């Protein structure tokens, strides 16, 4: 058996053993409810939650009181978008977002559209970045919220966040960013970047699944958010429910470790990622990098291998875990809507593979990957009718003539 | 979702990959595409004087299930007459490969590819028969 190589860190990351160590006591003897104010078990739990709040806030240059615990970025996005919509609906009913957002942003926006809100969806450029002039002209009298992700999960493209924040501040519109993929990978400063609400998640930063946070600024302006879950009034009334103490402790320590190691990790991982792209380009013709080569997360590489389909590629190197934008991998049989929004054709979306590296990958694994992926591409091209047609001088387009 | 052993076997050891000379009068070629997902399958057959399929080749752009479906199709039609080959149903392929519901369209594509290749050979045969009768009546 070949060793297993995990290059799907944008889907989820392994738990850092240091994070697990920090969490364990909160599954065992420190089992208290952080809301129990009258005994030691409660105080213990509350203290741990407070420390985690400091740890996450430190990563964002936010105040500890601005951190709301959630079950993950999906919930954070829902609270941010639907909560702001509910709270500010008398001020306006217009929200701006963009086409390559995660479904956890797009779907709440679509939900609001069915409930009397107007949603503008900006189209990013070929690299996945939004156009600031388009954003500026989309902001109207009744705009209450702009929701633009920090970095994209499929292609890694980083948006011009400070510029968007500045623009929104200038126009008095709230700015939410889904920072799930950026949190722990690039420096974030909600104050300097003009971010009013920020979503993040534990399991993308070597922390546990099922825990996340929403940063809700308390100044310039003080942001208010109606709850999505109604109940005991925890988390400043924005998110009721007994706190997931072990998860929160895990997210806190995952943030702390990321804060200390982020700069070194980014350099090392970018080097591995660049080597991967270099090795693949040397060994394979007609491969294309999707997204952006400069404003991009250090760990993400999205490549289309012309003439071969993504799911079959993944099957060919089954001991390497990656993702694909191929229609075959989705239940809807639609290719990636993110790649489509960039103007990548369906054929190339069908042929796309996302490699997302992480803290625990080694140079040796990258060499293995280059070799195995290239061998699979060659093998599958030999059995690809599209490759054959291309070699005979017909383009991909002409093959459509043969389709029913 | 994990793949069935048979899909893996055909994917890792595909039978009958390759090309036959499409200009050979005894070779029929079918190229079909799945509008649902963009897969493309090319299947070729070579028949003898009794319309028995003596050789079959394929090339497929698509997922492992599509590759396995076409590989299996070529294996099954070899040695059959074209009329027997026309009796193969996509549901037979689904059953043999234990394809899950989202992959049924791959088996449909394989059935379509068999039909397209047979149609091509039949058209060639009709054309050459017409050419033959045409030249007979001329003489
Ligand atoms: C950009 C982005 N937003 C939101 C999510 C959802 O996060 P969670 O799994 O914590 O709900 C993900 C992860 O899949 C993501 O990549």
């Amino acid at each position: 058996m070949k060793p297993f190589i995990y290059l799907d860190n944008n889907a989820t990351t392994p738990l850092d053993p240091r994070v697990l160590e920090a969490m364990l006591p909160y599954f065992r003897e420190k089992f208290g409810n952080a809301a129990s104010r009258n005994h030691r078990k409660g105080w213990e739990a509350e203290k741990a939650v407070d420390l985690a709040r400091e740890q996450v806030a430190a990563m964002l240059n936010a105040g500890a009181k601005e951190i709301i615990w959630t079950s993950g970025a999906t919930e954070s996005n829902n609270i941010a978008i639907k909560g702001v919509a509910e709270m500010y609906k008398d001020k306006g009913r217009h929200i701006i977002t963009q086409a390559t957002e995660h479904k956890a942003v797009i779907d709440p926006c679509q939900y609001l559209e069915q409930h009397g809100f107007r949603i503008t969806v900006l189209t990013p450029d070929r690299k996945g970045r939004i156009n600031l002039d388009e954003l500026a002209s989309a902001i109207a009298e009744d705009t209450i919220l702009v929701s633009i992700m920090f970095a994209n999960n499929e292609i890694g493209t980083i948006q011009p966040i400070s510029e968007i924040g500045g623009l929104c501040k200038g126009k008095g519109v709230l700015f939410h960013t889904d920072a799930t993929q950026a949190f722990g990978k690039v420096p974030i400063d909600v104050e300097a970047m003009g971010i009013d609400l920020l979503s993040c998640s534990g399991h993308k930063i070597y922390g546990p699944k099922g825990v996340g946070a929403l940063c809700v600024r308390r100044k310039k302006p003080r942001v208010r958010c109606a709850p999505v879950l109604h109940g005991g009034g925890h988390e400043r009334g924005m998110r009721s429910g007994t706190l997931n103490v072990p998860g929160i402790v895990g997210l806190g320590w995952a943030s702390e470790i990321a804060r200390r190691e982020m700069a070194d990790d980014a350099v090392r991982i970018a080097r591995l990622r660049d080597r991967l792209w270099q090795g693949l380009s040397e060994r394979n013709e007609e491969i294309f990098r999707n997204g952006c080569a400069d404003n991009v997360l250090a760990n993400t590489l999205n490549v289309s291998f012309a003439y071969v389909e993504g799911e079959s590629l993944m099957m060919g190197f089954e001991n390497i875990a990656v993702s694909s934008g191929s229609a075959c991998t989705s239940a809807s049989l639609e290719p990636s809507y993110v790649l489509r929004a960039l103007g990548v054709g369906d054929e190339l979306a069908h042929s796309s593979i996302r490699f997302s590296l992480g803290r625990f990958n080694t140079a040796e694994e990258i060499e293995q990957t280059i070799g195995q992926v290239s061998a699979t591409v060659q093998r599958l091209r030999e059995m690809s009718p599209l490759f054959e047609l291309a070699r005979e001088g017909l383009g991909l387009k002409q093959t459509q003539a043969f389709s029913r | 979702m994990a793949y069935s052993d048979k899909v893996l076997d055909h994917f890792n050891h595909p039978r009958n990959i390759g090309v036959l000379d499409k200009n050979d009068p005894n070779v029929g070629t079918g190229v079909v595409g799945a509008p649902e997902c963009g897969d493309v399958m090319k299947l070729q057959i070579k028949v003898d004087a009794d319309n028995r399929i003596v050789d079959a080749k394929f090339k497929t752009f698509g997922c492992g299930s599509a590759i396995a479906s076409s590989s299996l199709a070529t294996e099954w039609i070899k040695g059959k007459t074209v009329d027997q080959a026309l009796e193969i149903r996509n549901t037979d392929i689904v059953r043999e490969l234990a394809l899950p519901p989202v992959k049924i369209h791959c088996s449909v594509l394989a059935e379509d590819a068999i039909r397209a290749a047979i149609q091509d050979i039949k058209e060639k045969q009709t054309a050459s028969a017409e050419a033959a009768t045409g030249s007979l009546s001329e003489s």
Side-chain angles (χ1 to χ4, degrees), chain A residues 219-233:
Chain A
K219 49 180 195 285
K220 296 186 284 179
R222 183 187 180 90
V223 180
R224 293 176 314 144
C225 241
V228 171
L229 296 181
H230 300 265

PDB file of all heavy atoms in Angstrom, chain A residues 219-233:
ATOM      1  N   LYS A 219     -17.913  48.577  17.988  1.00  0.00           N
ATOM      2  CA  LYS A 219     -17.719  50.014  17.792  1.00  0.00           C
ATOM      3  C   LYS A 219     -17.470  50.339  16.323  1.00  0.00           C
ATOM      4  O   LYS A 219     -17.030  49.501  15.545  1.00  0.00           O
ATOM      5  CB  LYS A 219     -16.588  50.535  18.679  1.00  0.00           C
ATOM      6  CG  LYS A 219     -15.286  49.751  18.643  1.00  0.00           C
ATOM      7  CD  LYS A 219     -14.300  50.415  19.588  1.00  0.00           C
ATOM      8  CE  LYS A 219     -12.870  49.974  19.383  1.00  0.00           C
ATOM      9  NZ  LYS A 219     -12.532  48.654  19.882  1.00  0.00           N
ATOM     10  N   LYS A 220     -17.774  51.575  15.986  1.00  0.00           N
ATOM     11  CA  LYS A 220     -17.565  52.123  14.626  1.00  0.00           C
ATOM     12  C   LYS A 220     -18.158  51.258  13.532  1.00  0.00           C
ATOM     13  O   LYS A 220     -17.429  50.821  12.663  1.00  0.00           O
ATOM     14  CB  LYS A 220     -16.068  52.362  14.371  1.00  0.00           C
ATOM     15  CG  LYS A 220     -15.436  53.400  15.271  1.00  0.00           C
ATOM     16  CD  LYS A 220     -14.004  53.680  14.855  1.00  0.00           C
ATOM     17  CE  LYS A 220     -13.054  52.589  15.269  1.00  0.00           C
ATOM     18  NZ  LYS A 220     -11.662  52.805  14.854  1.00  0.00           N
ATOM     19  N   PRO A 221     -19.365  50.942  13.452  1.00  0.00           N
ATOM     20  CA  PRO A 221     -20.432  51.196  14.431  1.00  0.00           C
ATOM     21  C   PRO A 221     -20.611  49.970  15.320  1.00  0.00           C
ATOM     22  O   PRO A 221     -19.999  48.925  15.090  1.00  0.00           O
ATOM     23  CB  PRO A 221     -21.644  51.354  13.523  1.00  0.00           C
ATOM     24  CG  PRO A 221     -21.378  50.389  12.409  1.00  0.00           C
ATOM     25  CD  PRO A 221     -19.900  50.401  12.203  1.00  0.00           C
ATOM     26  N   ARG A 222     -21.486  50.100  16.311  1.00  0.00           N
ATOM     27  CA  ARG A 222     -21.878  48.954  17.123  1.00  0.00           C
ATOM     28  C   ARG A 222     -22.897  48.160  16.301  1.00  0.00           C
ATOM     29  O   ARG A 222     -23.991  48.644  15.994  1.00  0.00           O
ATOM     30  CB  ARG A 222     -22.521  49.457  18.413  1.00  0.00           C
ATOM     31  CG  ARG A 222     -22.889  48.350  19.359  1.00  0.00           C
ATOM     32  CD  ARG A 222     -23.679  48.921  20.540  1.00  0.00           C
ATOM     33  NE  ARG A 222     -24.033  47.838  21.448  1.00  0.00           N
ATOM     34  CZ  ARG A 222     -23.274  47.443  22.455  1.00  0.00           C
ATOM     35  NH1 ARG A 222     -22.124  48.046  22.702  1.00  0.00           N
ATOM     36  NH2 ARG A 222     -23.659  46.445  23.229  1.00  0.00           N
ATOM     37  N   VAL A 223     -22.507  46.950  15.913  1.00  0.00           N
ATOM     38  CA  VAL A 223     -23.350  46.158  15.002  1.00  0.00           C
ATOM     39  C   VAL A 223     -24.352  45.343  15.807  1.00  0.00           C
ATOM     40  O   VAL A 223     -24.000  44.757  16.829  1.00  0.00           O
ATOM     41  CB  VAL A 223     -22.478  45.191  14.158  1.00  0.00           C
ATOM     42  CG1 VAL A 223     -23.347  44.377  13.204  1.00  0.00           C
ATOM     43  CG2 VAL A 223     -21.409  45.958  13.406  1.00  0.00           C
ATOM     44  N   ARG A 224     -25.576  45.322  15.346  1.00  0.00           N
ATOM     45  CA  ARG A 224     -26.586  44.507  16.023  1.00  0.00           C
ATOM     46  C   ARG A 224     -27.092  43.431  15.063  1.00  0.00           C
ATOM     47  O   ARG A 224     -27.180  43.637  13.863  1.00  0.00           O
ATOM     48  CB  ARG A 224     -27.727  45.389  16.509  1.00  0.00           C
ATOM     49  CG  ARG A 224     -27.249  46.332  17.637  1.00  0.00           C
ATOM     50  CD  ARG A 224     -28.323  47.288  18.096  1.00  0.00           C
ATOM     51  NE  ARG A 224     -28.989  47.898  16.955  1.00  0.00           N
ATOM     52  CZ  ARG A 224     -30.279  48.183  16.922  1.00  0.00           C
ATOM     53  NH1 ARG A 224     -31.058  47.894  17.950  1.00  0.00           N
ATOM     54  NH2 ARG A 224     -30.802  48.762  15.857  1.00  0.00           N
ATOM     55  N   CYS A 225     -27.378  42.279  15.624  1.00  0.00           N
ATOM     56  CA  CYS A 225     -27.729  41.106  14.834  1.00  0.00           C
ATOM     57  C   CYS A 225     -28.887  40.395  15.505  1.00  0.00           C
ATOM     58  O   CYS A 225     -28.765  40.006  16.670  1.00  0.00           O
ATOM     59  CB  CYS A 225     -26.535  40.162  14.896  1.00  0.00           C
ATOM     60  SG  CYS A 225     -25.782  39.773  13.374  1.00  0.00           S
ATOM     61  N   ALA A 226     -29.978  40.197  14.810  1.00  0.00           N
ATOM     62  CA  ALA A 226     -31.081  39.434  15.397  1.00  0.00           C
ATOM     63  C   ALA A 226     -30.670  37.962  15.463  1.00  0.00           C
ATOM     64  O   ALA A 226     -29.940  37.496  14.589  1.00  0.00           O
ATOM     65  CB  ALA A 226     -32.336  39.594  14.548  1.00  0.00           C
ATOM     66  N   PRO A 227     -31.099  37.233  16.479  1.00  0.00           N
ATOM     67  CA  PRO A 227     -30.706  35.827  16.567  1.00  0.00           C
ATOM     68  C   PRO A 227     -31.412  34.968  15.524  1.00  0.00           C
ATOM     69  O   PRO A 227     -32.491  35.305  15.051  1.00  0.00           O
ATOM     70  CB  PRO A 227     -31.155  35.418  17.975  1.00  0.00           C
ATOM     71  CG  PRO A 227     -32.251  36.358  18.324  1.00  0.00           C
ATOM     72  CD  PRO A 227     -31.960  37.644  17.610  1.00  0.00           C
ATOM     73  N   VAL A 228     -30.753  33.878  15.164  1.00  0.00           N
ATOM     74  CA  VAL A 228     -31.388  32.864  14.317  1.00  0.00           C
ATOM     75  C   VAL A 228     -31.976  31.778  15.221  1.00  0.00           C
ATOM     76  O   VAL A 228     -33.056  31.263  14.964  1.00  0.00           O
ATOM     77  CB  VAL A 228     -30.352  32.275  13.328  1.00  0.00           C
ATOM     78  CG1 VAL A 228     -30.916  31.073  12.593  1.00  0.00           C
ATOM     79  CG2 VAL A 228     -29.911  33.348  12.327  1.00  0.00           C
ATOM     80  N   LEU A 229     -31.222  31.450  16.284  1.00  0.00           N
ATOM     81  CA  LEU A 229     -31.727  30.507  17.297  1.00  0.00           C
ATOM     82  C   LEU A 229     -32.210  31.311  18.490  1.00  0.00           C
ATOM     83  O   LEU A 229     -31.460  32.125  19.030  1.00  0.00           O
ATOM     84  CB  LEU A 229     -30.603  29.571  17.769  1.00  0.00           C
ATOM     85  CG  LEU A 229     -29.986  28.619  16.763  1.00  0.00           C
ATOM     86  CD1 LEU A 229     -28.909  27.763  17.426  1.00  0.00           C
ATOM     87  CD2 LEU A 229     -31.046  27.724  16.153  1.00  0.00           C
ATOM     88  N   HIS A 230     -33.430  31.069  18.908  1.00  0.00           N
ATOM     89  CA  HIS A 230     -33.961  31.777  20.069  1.00  0.00           C
ATOM     90  C   HIS A 230     -33.884  30.874  21.279  1.00  0.00           C
ATOM     91  O   HIS A 230     -34.097  29.671  21.174  1.00  0.00           O
ATOM     92  CB  HIS A 230     -35.409  32.195  19.803  1.00  0.00           C
ATOM     93  CG  HIS A 230     -35.542  33.092  18.613  1.00  0.00           C
ATOM     94  ND1 HIS A 230     -35.566  34.459  18.710  1.00  0.00           N
ATOM     95  CD2 HIS A 230     -35.600  32.810  17.304  1.00  0.00           C
ATOM     96  CE1 HIS A 230     -35.654  34.982  17.501  1.00  0.00           C
ATOM     97  NE2 HIS A 230     -35.678  33.997  16.625  1.00  0.00           N
ATOM     98  N   GLY A 231     -33.560  31.428  22.425  1.00  0.00           N
ATOM     99  CA  GLY A 231     -33.445  30.581  23.614  1.00  0.00           C
ATOM    100  C   GLY A 231     -32.961  31.350  24.820  1.00  0.00           C
ATOM    101  O   GLY A 231     -33.418  32.462  25.080  1.00  0.00           O
ATOM    102  N   GLY A 232     -31.993  30.755  25.509  1.00  0.00           N
ATOM    103  CA  GLY A 232     -31.560  31.265  26.807  1.00  0.00           C
ATOM    104  C   GLY A 232     -30.795  32.588  26.807  1.00  0.00           C
ATOM    105  O   GLY A 232     -30.388  33.058  27.864  1.00  0.00           O
ATOM    106  N   GLY A 233     -30.581  33.155  25.637  1.00  0.00           N
ATOM    107  CA  GLY A 233     -29.956  34.469  25.588  1.00  0.00           C
ATOM    108  C   GLY A 233     -28.448  34.467  25.769  1.00  0.00           C
ATOM    109  O   GLY A 233     -27.852  35.483  26.120  1.00  0.00           O
TER     110      GLY A 233
END
